Amino acid sequence: MATHTIAPAAGFHPHIYTNITFKHPPSRLDCIFDIIYIIPREAFVDANQLTDLKLSKHLVVLNESDLEAPAERVRGGNLVAVRYEAEDYLMSLGKEVTIDLPLHMRYQQPDSLWTHQTVAIPVPKVGWTCSIEPYQKPNSIPPLPSIDFHLERDSRTTFDEIESSVVGNMTVSIPVGRTTDTNTVKIGTHVIVLFGALWIAWAIYSAVVKRKRTELKGKRRKSE
């Protein structure tokens, strides 16, 4: 049984919390226990940040794209798979594991009516990924089963999903700009830039005047 929570429910940096209790041993030692997160294009994960979490021995991040691009310029999202080999799973039997997956929400297109946009986050998939044919070579480490971005069953692997529950809604509310505020923002930006330029010019003028006065006082003392 796996339980998933997303918090905070508003903002640009939510986290997905997954709680899993490892109860039943695997039926085959060449299977992988996967916690699979499908991240929509409105969000992304930072692979460098995930490596610091030390979630498991095997962490897969697929379909990475420009981390700075707004949502409308991104075609697809990310897939993150936290993978436990059967031996690691057996060592965790009876224990509850909490996985904290940080997300970063992308900037959305401005809207004429709404100040926030709600983005749905798919419920993570938890289960066993196994090869169709059991690994037969003795005294060797079985290879990790492959994982498809869309979780489509192919001729090589199967995915046996276990039951999951969600605490609250898997949605995030993101602030968006309003197109009706465009003129206000433009005028405000021009005013701030103009004020900043005038302040810099005044500061330079004051510094030059002060320096000339100092130099003039020095010349007078020398002449005396």
Side-chain angles (χ1 to χ4, degrees):
M1 180 72 174
T3 304
H4 310 284
T5 308
I6 191 165
F12 285 98
H13 302 285
H15 290 238
I16 300 177
Y17 299 97
T18 299
N19 294 312
I20 303 173
T21 300
F22 297 134
K23 293 183 178 180
H24 306 290
S27 58
R28 284 168 44 187
L29 294 181
D30 60 340
C31 295
I32 298 294
F33 188 76
D34 279 328
I35 302 96
I36 303 169
Y37 302 85
I38 299 179
I39 312 301
R41 69 185 184 95
E42 292 87 356
F44 67 89
V45 294
D46 187 343
N48 296 322
Q49 186 178 10
L50 298 183
T51 56
D52 296 336
L53 299 179
K54 298 180 180 178
L55 299 175
S56 71
K57 291 183 179 179
H58 303 285
L59 186 65
V60 179
V61 180
L62 299 179
N63 201 34
E64 290 186 81
S65 56
D66 186 356
L67 302 186
E68 301 297 330
E72 66 270 15
R73 296 185 182 178
V74 180
R75 292 184 178 180
N78 293 121
L79 178 140
V80 178
V82 181
R83 319 197 76 185
Y84 288 87
E85 293 188 49
E87 294 181 358
D88 300 326
Y89 183 95
L90 289 171
M91 293 179 62
S92 301
L93 277 178
K95 299 179 181 179
E96 183 178 7
V97 176
T98 299
I99 298 174
D100 176 3
L101 182 71
L103 299 182
H104 303 274
M105 308 305 294
R106 296 184 185 274
Y107 292 112
Q108 308 294 307
Q109 278 188 323
D111 193 274
S112 60
L113 297 176
W114 309 108
T115 59
H116 289 76
Q117 179 174 333
T118 300
V119 175
I121 306 296
V123 177
K125 295 180 178 293
V126 182
W128 289 96
T129 301
C130 302
S131 299
I132 296 294
E133 297 294 333
Y135 199 64
Q136 301 293 340
K137 294 182 180 179
N139 302 322
S140 61
I141 300 175
L144 290 179
S146 62
I147 186 168
D148 183 79
F149 183 73
H150 298 289
L151 299 180
E152 295 176 350
R153 294 189 177 186
D154 55 25
S155 60
R156 296 170 297 173
T157 61
T158 61
F159 183 73
D160 185 14
E161 188 172 357
I162 68 172
E163 184 181 358
S164 293
S165 63
V166 176
V167 179
N169 296 321
M170 295 289 288
T171 57
V172 180
S173 178
I174 310 173
V176 297
R178 295 182 61 183
T179 54
T180 53
D181 296 332
T182 302
N183 291 332
T184 302
V185 173
K186 287 182 178 180
I187 294 173
T189 302
H190 285 101
V191 170
I192 292 174
V193 171
L194 179 60
F195 177 80
L198 292 174
W199 183 86
I200 293 173
W202 171 254
I204 295 174
Y205 173 78
S206 299
V208 171
V209 171
K210 184 177 180 180
R211 182 171 181 177
K212 287 184 176 180
R213 289 177 179 176
T214 302
E215 292 176 351
L216 183 60
K217 289 181 180 179
K219 291 180 179 179
R220 288 178 180 176
R221 290 176 181 176
K222 289 181 180 180
S223 61
E224 292 178 355

